[in-house]
Amino acid sequence: MMHIPLTVGSMLEHAEKFFAKKQVISQTHDKLHYLTYADIGKRTRRLMSVLKDLGAQKGDRIGTLAWNHHRHLEIYFAAPGIGSVLHTINIRLSPEHIIYIINHAEDKILFIDEDVLPLIEKIQHQLTTVEKFILMTDKEELPESTLEPLYSYEELLQTGDPTYPFITNIDENDPAGMCYTSATTGKPKGVLYSHRGIVLHSYALGLTDTAGISESDVSMPVVPQFHVNAWGTPFACTWFGCTQVMPGPRFTPKRLAEFIEKFKVTITAGVPTIWLGLLRELENGDYDISSLRAVLCGGSAAPLGLIKAFEQKLNIPFYHAYGATETTPLVTVSRLKSYQQDLTDDEKLAVRTTQGMPVPGVDMKVIGNSGEVEWDGKEMGELLLRGNWIADEYYRDDRSDSAFIDGWFHSGDVVTVNEEGLIKIVDRTNDLIKSGGEWISSVDLENALMTHDAVFEASVVAIPDEKWQERPIACVVLKEAFSEEGMKEKLLDFLKPQFAKFWLPDDILFFKEIPKTSVGKFLKRQLRGVVEEHFNIQN
Amino acid sequence: MMHIPLTVGSMLEHAEKFFAKKQVISQTHDKLHYLTYADIGKRTRRLMSVLKDLGAQKGDRIGTLAWNHHRHLEIYFAAPGIGSVLHTINIRLSPEHIIYIINHAEDKILFIDEDVLPLIEKIQHQLTTVEKFILMTDKEELPESTLEPLYSYEELLQTGDPTYPFITNIDENDPAGMCYTSATTGKPKGVLYSHRGIVLHSYALGLTDTAGISESDVSMPVVPQFHVNAWGTPFACTWFGCTQVMPGPRFTPKRLAEFIEKFKVTITAGVPTIWLGLLRELENGDYDISSLRAVLCGGSAAPLGLIKAFEQKLNIPFYHAYGATETTPLVTVSRLKSYQQDLTDDEKLAVRTTQGMPVPGVDMKVIGNSGEVEWDGKEMGELLLRGNWIADEYYRDDRSDSAFIDGWFHSGDVVTVNEEGLIKIVDRTNDLIKSGGEWISSVDLENALMTHDAVFEASVVAIPDEKWQERPIACVVLKEAFSEEGMKEKLLDFLKPQFAKFWLPDDILFFKEIPKTSVGKFLKRQLRGVVEEHFNIQN
């Protein structure tokens, strides 16, 4: 057989040839753009020649600080298209972390969205490797800026060569992209994505039983492009010729609902908090979202109420998925097997609330206290992963040794596996509550609380306890219509029949908001601090 | 990223774990078998340990002479599972070719179906490398045989280890399988399939826009397992957890229709002659085949009438595909793009009759008289292919040099490409008719003739002509209800409005049957001989 390196560039080439007329619809700060893949192809080739002119070399890291739009998509293909590395930077991180990430990755060129410019101006003197800045704007004139040199993306493109070729003499294991995890403790950790990993991951996204991404889809990635490459959907959607709708900077639930209706979006992907927000918008507004055939939800476990609302009230298939920055990210997706179609609605929901089973190409094992766990849906263990789109190290980072052991990535997620091979995230290894020698799953308690009508969000953390070692405390945000009065007792009564007595939280605290990471996960470390302060606990 | 070799064995391992309950239903000479993937997994592992005990080494070729059934499926995974090479042998070839193939491949062990035993006994003394024979039978006692040593498959399995592991320390580019093309001229040519090629090809088969093979499918491969691995469907269907129905030895259209109804088959694959036969059976019998969601048709171009009958009369999507032994085989599949859904029925049919566009992972170019052809649906050129499941040589064969040039496989197929990138096979480079300096497509004439109500099959060949160099002669098989009388004129009148005058055949000859290759393609070389004899042409 021939051995043709699997490359990111070849995916856009396929779209240029065979889906030339299909569109990318892109919201930027100033307007809505309509481009075809023929356009995107030529613009990407121009950008590649520009990057080469600016001195970008094979292996150089090219940083982006940008929302979801067509220019960001073009860099997705242009950076790896010349053998450089696309480094998407999470713009929601603290300036300190952003500085750390850019310097640690040694980014040479930075692509910047208009609204991120002030931040970069502020930190520019702490950036040790960046040589050039490129502003992505629709405006003809560049704004006044202290960045030097600062180029206009569109002006540069005009000087580019629209026929510039994608690199082909490259090892498919070479890095094409990188992303830093927004770790809840310590500095962010970098992960490199290989060309091979991204292409194989794209195949997996196109499988009928995974996301089934198809030419007939209209895909709107709501998950940011700086969050594990928008879960790889822009790569797969381009390759398979989908219409893509990029919702642009600082979108609101209203814009999402409007775009779904207007562009007949068929598939979208994002974290639970996004869908909670959209759900509220849909309940209050009058939108036709019947085009949606799939909502992919990952990043953290979706509460049952959310899944139920999409599946049963809105009649939109809601696919619970699981992955991580270290896994490109798709690892599992929860789909009903053919022989589960006859289950009752509640039984189906029980399947839907699992994270599902590994997609073809990913191998897993779950290690408990005494080796691999039973597939009984009960025994807990840490999820270990292997595959061609699973990282084998953190980029130049000592912490690699504790996560990548004997060829397996130790995810830090505690799961059970049922007899069908479906995993269910029980907790993070660090968030499990150890009470009296037993384990309590904070996630199970959270999910139960979030099925209560009055609860908008709930997070459960441990506080130290002399007798039991640790005890759970629930932190709850109520929906607007509900008052805190008597609610603590009501919620405890609500939990009682569902859990063993020792699982019940010792207290329930009410909050206006629960602190979250930049990608929408509960920031338990910070929350624990607040709770410990509340109880006057000294560490 | 981790680099895990893509291996054939890992696909069955996935099915064992996550689709343990799903079934393979298999017709053998004596009975219908029902096995789960848990069973198939254990039996395959037993077989691997048996093969090792029998002395099979990494790289050794293991031959099969067998129909479509579960034991053949087990060898599909067991041979590459120990690093050996699955060599499926076309049992419909002449004994001379079978001898050549087995000796050229240097097969060490042969797996034989009951009804092929007499053939192998006859040729055994001409086999120079085979050391052991294994008979696949349901019977408890082996038949009397002159083969030595001859083992019983099921007896061997009883001695095997059901936990034997699949090989993992292997280069994914190592060969996993091989197949010889039934060349119309000269000796068969061998093609090696790598583990990498088969796994990537399986991904392609699972893509929604390709065959969309899914866990919910019930797949019945009608194309023989000795014909380019039944087009790779047994690999993909196992990986994705489909129910598989193996129709066994010497099946009839009646058995196919019955199995579709009985097992609710959703997807099937085969050559046009199979579907012509099934169509006749369906017209005469009373079958419920509403479960079918896709018929994949390849091997040779499907006549319009056939596509029309499936699409419009039976309401079953008929997917025209293209491939070759050298291409594992899937190269293109014809699917309507989303914006073609509004076309008229006839326009849709026109799309359906093309071979479609390359699936993701295959690259093509079409070279005419002056470089790459225009994508105008008119200019003809030879189809060149590149990709990870495209061969880069014939196995130990001097003829490699003329087919594999500068990194491209020269398919020998002449095609046009339309503005959507859809290819249409016009002819074989060798079968194009050159008349008066112009090219005439024998395939276009055949397809036109086969849309006529009276025509069952038609093949058009060239005869030498002093003035024009070559001229077309049509060879036609009429449907039973029609007589030859006056038919020649009727058919010529039917063709006239459809073609330029110089395209019209100089004569139409009527036959009871048109000679075909062992895989159902018209055997034009032999037909040309018959026609030349008819016209008393001396070569």
Side-chain angles (χ1 to χ4, degrees):
Chain A
M1 302 267 101
M2 297 180 186
H3 181 100
I4 313 290
L6 303 169
T7 64
V8 166
S10 67
M11 298 194 281
L12 176 54
E13 262 188 307
H14 190 76
E16 283 180 290
K17 276 190 190 172
F18 299 105
F19 307 112
K21 299 177 193 169
K22 293 293 302 285
Q23 278 190 328
V24 175
I25 301 163
S26 165
Q27 178 70 58
T28 57
H29 286 279
D30 290 344
K31 62 175 184 171
L32 202 56
H33 299 252
Y34 294 82
L35 299 102
T36 63
Y37 282 114
D39 300 329
I40 297 279
K42 281 190 206 110
R43 287 169 54 87
T44 301
R45 290 170 187 277
R46 284 176 185 273
L47 182 55
M48 288 197 291
S49 78
V50 163
L51 283 170
K52 287 304 267 187
D53 290 345
L54 291 178
Q57 302 292 325
K58 190 156 175 284
D60 281 350
R61 271 76 63 208
I62 312 277
T64 66
L65 291 137
W67 304 95
N68 292 9
H69 50 64
H70 67 289
R71 297 187 181 106
H72 207 173
L73 181 70
E74 288 157 4
I75 310 167
Y76 264 47
F77 289 97
I82 57 166
S84 296
V85 180
L86 165 79
H87 174 206
T88 55
I89 301 159
N90 184 341
I91 56 187
R92 294 208 188 101
L93 293 180
S94 66
E96 289 66 32
H97 277 177
I98 291 181
I99 294 165
Y100 170 80
I101 283 175
I102 294 173
N103 290 340
H104 187 263
E106 301 178 41
D107 290 334
K108 199 166 173 181
I109 295 173
L110 282 188
F111 286 87
I112 306 168
D113 260 2
E114 271 176 272
D115 62 346
V116 191
L117 190 58
L119 167 70
I120 303 304
E121 288 177 333
K122 221 173 284 171
I123 64 174
Q124 62 176 303
H125 299 297
Q126 287 152 279
L127 303 180
T128 53
T129 60
V130 179
E131 296 169 7
K132 274 144 190 157
F133 303 90
I134 298 170
L135 189 71
M136 293 179 281
T137 172
D138 294 320
K139 301 183 178 70
E140 297 228 339
E141 297 229 334
L142 280 184
E144 292 266 326
S145 172
T146 58
L147 293 184
E148 178 57 37
L150 180 66
Y151 302 93
S152 154
Y153 186 94
E154 293 298 326
E155 270 182 33
L156 283 177
L157 245 54
Q158 287 173 27
T159 69
D161 171 3
T163 67
Y164 196 87
F166 290 99
I167 196 168
T168 53
N169 59 338
I170 190 171
D171 184 329
E172 68 186 29
N173 298 296
D174 281 351
M178 83 182 301
C179 194
Y180 281 73
T181 62
S182 47
T184 46
T185 58
K187 301 269 191 214
K189 295 175 278 189
V191 174
L192 288 175
Y193 304 116
S194 65
H195 284 267
R196 172 181 168 98
I198 290 173
V199 172
L200 294 177
H201 183 267
S202 301
Y203 269 131
L205 279 173
L207 297 177
T208 309
D209 290 336
T210 301
I213 290 175
S214 137
E215 183 273 334
S216 62
D217 273 319
V218 179
S219 166
M220 180 172 73
V222 175
V223 50
Q225 285 188 258
F226 54 74
H227 187 198
V228 209
N229 299 328
W231 300 350
T233 56
F235 292 120
C237 289
T238 300
W239 200 13
F240 304 141
C242 309
T243 301
Q244 289 185 77
V245 179
M246 314 304 265
R250 300 180 191 283
F251 56 78
T252 57
K254 188 161 181 295
R255 188 192 293 168
L256 296 183
E258 284 171 356
F259 274 18
I260 293 170
E261 174 172 298
K262 182 171 177 185
F263 300 118
K264 296 195 174 23
V265 169
T266 62
I267 184 167
T268 175
V271 294
T273 42
I274 292 286
W275 306 131
L276 286 166
L278 180 66
L279 200 57
R280 275 206 277 195
E281 179 67 26
L282 294 175
E283 279 165 0
N284 298 329
D286 179 26
Y287 300 97
D288 176 6
I289 56 156
S290 57
S291 58
L292 267 182
R293 71 160 183 85
V295 169
L296 292 177
C297 183
S300 57
L304 178 66
L306 179 64
I307 301 177
K308 217 163 166 172
F310 272 87
E311 288 269 327
Q312 296 180 349
K313 263 162 79 181
L314 299 173
N315 209 17
I316 295 169
F318 190 90
Y319 298 119
H320 210 192
Y322 165 80
T325 304
E326 294 87 341
T327 65
T328 310
L330 186 66
V331 166
T332 66
V333 60
S334 184
R335 307 273 304 223
L336 294 169
K337 292 181 186 172
S338 49
Y339 52 84
Q340 295 176 319
Q341 298 295 343
D342 300 331
L343 297 179
T344 65
D345 279 358
D346 281 349
E347 288 167 334
K348 283 185 187 170
L349 267 181
V351 176
R352 288 264 185 250
T353 56
T354 71
Q355 272 68 28
M357 58 177 219
V359 300
V362 173
D363 197 8
M364 73 167 194
K365 67 184 178 190
V366 177
I367 302 298
N369 288 326
S370 48
E372 288 200 47
V373 302
E374 284 290 309
W375 284 21
D376 59 3
K378 288 179 195 153
E379 198 184 343
M380 298 179 191
E382 187 181 9
L383 179 64
L384 274 52
L385 297 166
R386 245 168 70 95
N388 281 292
W389 56 86
I390 313 288
D392 59 356
E393 63 169 5
Y394 292 117
Y395 182 65
R396 300 182 185 170
D397 199 310
D398 289 344
R399 290 166 291 181
S400 294
D401 293 347
S402 58
F404 304 95
I405 304 163
D406 292 339
W408 290 86
F409 165 54
H410 290 238
S411 69
D413 285 311
V414 180
V415 304
T416 58
V417 193
N418 72 12
E419 62 286 353
E420 293 291 341
L422 307 181
I423 63 162
K424 187 159 183 171
I425 304 278
V426 180
D427 224 321
R428 292 287 300 166
T429 44
N430 296 331
D431 293 337
L432 265 182
I433 299 162
K434 294 106 191 164
S435 176
E438 300 270 5
W439 282 355
I440 297 173
S441 159
S442 63
V443 174
D444 277 3
L445 287 169
E446 289 160 6
N447 285 341
L449 282 166
M450 285 194 277
T451 62
H452 190 282
D453 278 347
V455 175
F456 176 61
E457 281 179 346
S459 182
V460 174
V461 296
I463 53 165
D465 184 280
E466 271 191 28
K467 183 166 175 196
W468 302 110
Q469 185 184 3
E470 287 184 349
R471 289 296 303 152
I473 303 294
C475 306
V476 166
V477 179
L478 293 176
K479 290 184 188 161
E480 277 175 29
F482 294 85
S483 110
E484 293 177 16
E485 209 174 304
M487 192 55 81
K488 176 175 154 181
E489 292 68 30
K490 279 186 202 160
L491 291 178
L492 286 172
D493 283 347
F494 176 73
L495 292 178
K496 259 177 207 160
Q498 303 183 53
F499 295 98
K501 205 177 159 203
F502 77 93
W503 275 51
L504 295 181
D506 278 9
D507 205 346
I508 296 184
L509 308 180
F510 295 95
F511 290 83
K512 285 242 159 59
E513 203 181 2
I514 289 175
K516 297 194 190 64
T517 68
S518 62
V519 294
K521 296 185 195 185
F522 293 137
L523 203 51
K524 291 212 170 175
R525 189 157 154 268
Q526 192 175 327
L527 191 61
R528 254 194 301 271
V530 176
V531 171
E532 287 177 355
E533 204 166 299
H534 176 92
F535 289 106
N536 261 321
I537 296 168
Q538 309 292 326
N539 279 316
Chain B
M1 300 267 101
M2 298 180 186
H3 181 100
I4 313 289
L6 303 169
T7 62
V8 166
S10 67
M11 298 195 281
L12 176 54
E13 261 188 306
H14 190 76
E16 283 181 290
K17 276 190 189 170
F18 299 106
F19 308 112
K21 300 175 192 169
K22 294 292 303 284
Q23 278 189 330
V24 174
I25 302 162
S26 165
Q27 178 71 57
T28 57
H29 285 279
D30 290 343
K31 62 175 184 169
L32 202 55
H33 300 252
Y34 293 83
L35 299 102
T36 64
Y37 282 114
D39 300 329
I40 296 279
K42 282 191 205 107
R43 287 169 53 89
T44 300
R45 290 170 187 276
R46 285 176 185 273
L47 181 56
M48 289 197 289
S49 78
V50 162
L51 283 170
K52 287 304 268 187
D53 289 346
L54 291 177
Q57 301 292 326
K58 191 156 175 284
D60 280 351
R61 271 77 62 206
I62 311 277
T64 66
L65 292 136
W67 303 95
N68 293 8
H69 51 62
H70 68 288
R71 296 187 182 105
H72 206 173
L73 181 70
E74 288 156 4
I75 309 166
Y76 263 47
F77 290 96
I82 58 167
S84 296
V85 180
L86 165 78
H87 174 206
T88 55
I89 301 158
N90 185 341
I91 56 187
R92 293 209 188 101
L93 293 180
S94 66
E96 288 66 31
H97 278 177
I98 291 180
I99 294 165
Y100 170 80
I101 284 176
I102 294 172
N103 290 340
H104 187 264
E106 301 178 42
D107 291 334
K108 199 164 171 182
I109 296 173
L110 282 187
F111 285 86
I112 307 167
D113 260 2
E114 272 177 273
D115 62 346
V116 189
L117 190 59
L119 166 71
I120 303 304
E121 287 176 334
K122 222 174 283 171
I123 65 174
Q124 62 175 305
H125 300 298
Q126 287 152 279
L127 303 180
T128 54
T129 61
V130 179
E131 295 169 7
K132 276 145 189 154
F133 303 91
I134 299 171
L135 188 71
M136 292 178 282
T137 173
D138 294 320
K139 301 185 178 69
E140 299 229 337
E141 298 229 334
L142 280 183
E144 292 268 326
S145 171
T146 57
L147 293 183
E148 178 59 34
L150 179 67
Y151 302 94
S152 153
Y153 186 94
E154 293 298 326
E155 269 182 33
L156 284 177
L157 244 53
Q158 286 173 26
T159 69
D161 172 3
T163 67
Y164 196 87
F166 290 99
I167 195 168
T168 54
N169 60 337
I170 189 170
D171 184 330
E172 67 185 30
N173 298 296
D174 281 351
M178 82 183 302
C179 194
Y180 281 73
T181 61
S182 47
T184 46
T185 57
K187 300 269 190 214
K189 296 176 277 188
V191 173
L192 287 176
Y193 304 116
S194 66
H195 283 267
R196 173 181 169 97
I198 290 172
V199 172
L200 293 177
H201 183 266
S202 301
Y203 269 130
L205 278 173
L207 297 177
T208 308
D209 290 336
T210 302
I213 290 175
S214 139
E215 182 273 335
S216 62
D217 273 319
V218 179
S219 166
M220 180 172 72
V222 174
V223 48
Q225 285 188 258
F226 54 73
H227 186 199
V228 209
N229 299 328
W231 300 350
T233 56
F235 291 121
C237 289
T238 299
W239 200 12
F240 304 140
C242 307
T243 301
Q244 290 185 77
V245 179
M246 314 304 265
R250 301 179 190 284
F251 55 79
T252 57
K254 188 160 181 297
R255 188 193 292 169
L256 296 182
E258 284 170 356
F259 274 19
I260 293 170
E261 174 172 300
K262 182 170 177 185
F263 301 118
K264 299 193 172 23
V265 169
T266 62
I267 184 167
T268 176
V271 294
T273 42
I274 291 286
W275 306 131
L276 286 166
L278 179 65
L279 199 58
R280 276 207 277 197
E281 179 66 27
L282 294 176
E283 279 164 0
N284 299 330
D286 179 26
Y287 300 98
D288 175 6
I289 56 156
S290 57
S291 58
L292 268 182
R293 71 160 183 86
V295 169
L296 292 177
C297 183
S300 56
L304 178 67
L306 178 65
I307 301 178
K308 217 164 167 171
F310 272 87
E311 287 268 327
Q312 296 179 349
K313 263 162 78 180
L314 298 173
N315 207 18
I316 295 170
F318 191 90
Y319 298 120
H320 209 192
Y322 164 80
T325 304
E326 293 88 342
T327 65
T328 310
L330 186 66
V331 166
T332 66
V333 60
S334 184
R335 307 275 302 226
L336 294 169
K337 292 180 186 173
S338 49
Y339 51 84
Q340 295 177 319
Q341 299 294 344
D342 299 331
L343 297 178
T344 65
D345 279 359
D346 280 351
E347 289 167 333
K348 283 185 188 170
L349 267 181
V351 176
R352 288 264 186 250
T353 55
T354 71
Q355 272 69 27
M357 57 178 219
V359 300
V362 173
D363 197 9
M364 73 168 195
K365 66 184 180 189
V366 177
I367 302 298
N369 288 326
S370 48
E372 286 201 48
V373 302
E374 284 291 309
W375 284 21
D376 59 3
K378 288 178 194 153
E379 196 184 343
M380 298 179 191
E382 186 180 10
L383 179 65
L384 274 53
L385 297 166
R386 244 167 70 94
N388 281 292
W389 56 85
I390 312 289
D392 58 356
E393 62 169 5
Y394 292 117
Y395 182 65
R396 300 182 184 170
D397 199 310
D398 290 344
R399 289 167 292 180
S400 294
D401 293 347
S402 58
F404 304 95
I405 305 165
D406 292 340
W408 291 86
F409 166 54
H410 291 237
S411 69
D413 285 311
V414 179
V415 304
T416 59
V417 193
N418 73 11
E419 61 286 354
E420 293 291 341
L422 307 180
I423 64 163
K424 188 159 183 172
I425 304 277
V426 179
D427 225 322
R428 292 288 299 167
T429 44
N430 296 331
D431 292 337
L432 265 183
I433 298 162
K434 294 106 191 164
S435 175
E438 301 267 6
W439 283 355
I440 296 173
S441 159
S442 63
V443 174
D444 276 3
L445 287 170
E446 288 161 6
N447 285 341
L449 281 166
M450 285 195 276
T451 63
H452 190 282
D453 277 347
V455 174
F456 177 59
E457 281 180 345
S459 183
V460 173
V461 296
I463 54 165
D465 185 280
E466 271 192 26
K467 182 165 175 199
W468 302 109
Q469 184 184 2
E470 287 184 349
R471 290 294 304 151
I473 304 293
C475 307
V476 166
V477 179
L478 294 176
K479 289 184 188 160
E480 276 176 28
F482 294 86
S483 110
E484 294 177 16
E485 209 174 305
M487 191 54 82
K488 176 175 156 181
E489 291 69 29
K490 278 186 202 159
L491 291 178
L492 285 172
D493 283 347
F494 176 73
L495 291 179
K496 259 177 207 161
Q498 303 184 53
F499 295 100
K501 205 176 158 203
F502 78 92
W503 276 51
L504 296 181
D506 278 7
D507 204 346
I508 296 183
L509 308 180
F510 294 96
F511 290 84
K512 285 243 158 60
E513 202 181 1
I514 289 175
K516 296 194 190 65
T517 69
S518 61
V519 293
K521 296 186 197 186
F522 292 137
L523 203 51
K524 291 212 169 173
R525 188 157 157 268
Q526 192 175 327
L527 191 61
R528 255 193 300 272
V530 177
V531 171
E532 287 177 354
E533 203 166 300
H534 176 91
F535 289 106
N536 260 323
I537 296 168
Q538 309 292 326
N539 279 317

